Amino acid sequence: EIVMTQSPATLSVSPGERVTLSCRASQSVSSNLAWYQQRPGQTPRLLIYDASTRATGIPARFSGSGSGTDFTLTISSLQSEDFAVFYCQQYKNWPRTFGQGTKVEIK
Amino acid sequence: QVQLVESEGGVVQPGTSLTLSCVGSGFTFRTYAIHWVRQAPGKGLEWVAFISYDASDKYYADSVKGRFTISRDSSENTVWLQMNSLGAEDTAVYYCARDQRDYFDYWGQGSLVTVSS
């Protein structure tokens, strides 16, 4: 099983700041990586797939990068609606696995 | 618009069974694979099961293998997750999600299953 490790667990950020979230895979997943956002009390929403492609309707302030084992989700200027938990997920191998999540909270 | 709607969950006793359904609309259901993903209270996301568009392939997480069964009837736009021998560790919100080249592009609203005596 590929273990996905996200860091940090929690990030305290002020609106307007740039945010960088990390995700590391225990073995290479090539570019088979997605990022999801889950706002409090809501369903997860796809942000990024194939490591760097924004999903339909996702604002340009969200960007993804990386390949192999190390990946990054960047939010260029945090908006109030971006405070949420973010998960990475690999789809290279079965079972599909998620990271434990990074919570982005208001500073 | 794409919609996935799970059936209501509920409170069940340990050792018993429950079947969840997921009904899709707004897309050609028979051409899409479907996953189930769960989230225990206050915890992260855990992938549970997968069924291919034609039901020829099914995969399960080790934590549910042998206890859960995924199935579908595309004529009814429905996927089911039959859950047997439920334990407290299965308490979670269960989401069905559409597979789009292996990632999950649309999610249902979730169904809370509580296993408790």
Side-chain angles (χ1 to χ4, degrees), chain A residues 34-90:
Chain A
W35 289 94
Y36 303 88
Q37 176 191 46
Q38 188 176 31
R39 295 170 175 147
Q42 293 192 17
T43 291
R45 175 175 76 142
L46 175 68
L47 295 177
I48 301 284
Y49 62 91
D50 293 346
S52 61
T53 304
R54 273 190 306 277
T56 303
I58 301 302
R61 64 180 181 272
F62 291 93
S63 62
S65 63
S67 66
T69 60
D70 291 301
F71 300 88
T72 298
L73 175 69
T74 300
I75 310 172
S76 60
S77 177
L78 203 70
Q79 304 299 300
S80 57
E81 63 268 29
D82 298 338
F83 291 96
V85 180
F86 295 84
Y87 296 94
C88 62
Q89 177 242 331
Q90 65 80 21

